[in-house]
Amino acid sequence: MTTDTLSTRLDQIRTRVDAACHKADRSPDSVTLVAVSKFHPASSIEKALIAGQRVFGENRVQEAKEKFPQLRENWPDLRLHIIGGLQTNKALEACRLADAIESVDRTALVDALSKAADRLGRVPDLFVQINTGDEPQKSGVRREEADEFITLCKARFGSALKGLMCIPPEDEDPAPHFAYLARTVRAHGLSVCSMGMSADFETAIAQGATLVRVGTAIFGARPTN
């Protein structure tokens, strides 16, 4: 994909984000676009950076480690979010690499992140991932456990806990899931509501998303080799 093509796609998504914000009577500045670059090469991320994008999402710590340190040398203002399920043995590397970790979902990971933060003297922004559909195959804390777990995270991390994230079930209307997440963000006095992807980010914005994660609509289908 050429820089011009990727820039055009980014402009189209930004236009749709702005339109969704205006429709919801919200400022476009209230929503941050995270370009999900998982499986795509550093060269594609660099094209997005040239086009003005600064916030990126990666699923895997190892993949992020291979791409982003070198990119930061030329683009020190970029921000990296880890958005995939995080193994406890990757917590230290995730804290070292990332500006935000969106997939905090169990006590063992809280412990690992706390130890990593103490060792590094820094902690990224943290989001609790809620499995709003209680899907057994999906990461995230279950709804019935969410309030207690969020309270635990606030006690452990204080202001580093910024918000919540969810990925609704593919076969359900996402709007009720988004509405639930936004209510829970407000109930716990948090500020960031990370929800909505390529297929449903406009619905997410209507329900109160402050951060949307868009990959395919920007970078295209994942590379096959």
Side-chain angles (χ1 to χ4, degrees):
M1 185 184 299
T2 67
T3 301
D4 286 346
T5 300
L6 199 147
S7 179
T8 297
R9 288 186 172 203
L10 268 171
D11 285 344
Q12 290 170 344
I13 295 301
R14 289 168 181 149
T15 297
R16 289 171 59 187
V17 167
D18 287 357
C21 287
H22 287 303
K23 185 175 181 180
D25 197 24
R26 298 177 56 191
S27 167
D29 292 338
S30 67
V31 177
T32 297
L33 171 64
V34 177
V36 179
S37 51
K38 63 180 182 179
F39 308 125
H40 293 276
S43 58
S44 293
I45 300 169
E46 189 164 24
K47 291 182 176 71
L49 285 160
I50 291 169
Q53 180 63 25
R54 289 295 181 271
V55 188
F56 297 87
E58 289 281 338
N59 269 34
R60 300 172 181 171
V61 173
Q62 185 58 41
E63 185 179 353
K65 184 179 179 181
E66 292 169 358
K67 295 189 287 191
F68 279 87
Q70 187 171 354
L71 288 167
R72 282 191 193 275
E73 292 181 8
N74 294 323
W75 308 92
D77 59 338
L78 74 79
R79 288 183 58 81
L80 170 63
H81 289 218
I82 298 297
I83 61 175
L86 183 61
Q87 297 174 314
T88 55
N89 64 357
K90 300 291 186 182
L92 181 64
E93 198 65 60
C95 285
R96 183 179 285 120
L97 283 170
D99 300 289
I101 297 171
E102 297 198 24
S103 48
V104 182
D105 65 352
R106 60 198 187 281
T107 303
L109 183 55
V110 169
D111 292 341
L113 290 169
S114 183
K115 290 178 183 177
D118 288 344
R119 179 172 171 181
L120 296 172
R122 71 177 297 269
V123 59
D125 292 345
L126 299 173
F127 304 166
V128 167
Q129 181 176 354
I130 300 180
N131 184 347
T132 58
D134 289 337
E135 298 173 276
Q137 80 283 7
K138 189 174 286 184
S139 298
V141 62
R142 294 172 61 87
R143 280 199 191 206
E144 65 184 19
E145 301 165 351
D147 288 328
E148 182 178 357
F149 185 73
I150 294 165
T151 300
L152 166 68
C153 290
K154 289 177 74 174
R156 292 290 289 273
F157 299 113
S159 62
L161 183 69
K162 300 298 185 184
L164 308 179
M165 183 267 265
C166 76
I167 305 172
E170 291 185 9
D171 58 351
E172 294 184 20
D173 178 2
H177 295 269
F178 294 153
Y180 160 79
L181 198 76
R183 287 196 305 272
T184 308
V185 165
R186 293 192 297 270
H188 286 274
L190 302 172
S191 60
V192 182
C193 191
S194 175
M195 58 190 192
M197 298 186 289
S198 290
D200 57 18
F201 68 84
E202 286 144 323
T203 301
I205 290 170
Q207 295 295 335
T210 62
L211 186 156
V212 295
R213 310 178 305 274
V214 179
T216 303
I218 294 171
F219 292 102
R222 70 178 62 175
T224 56
N225 50 37

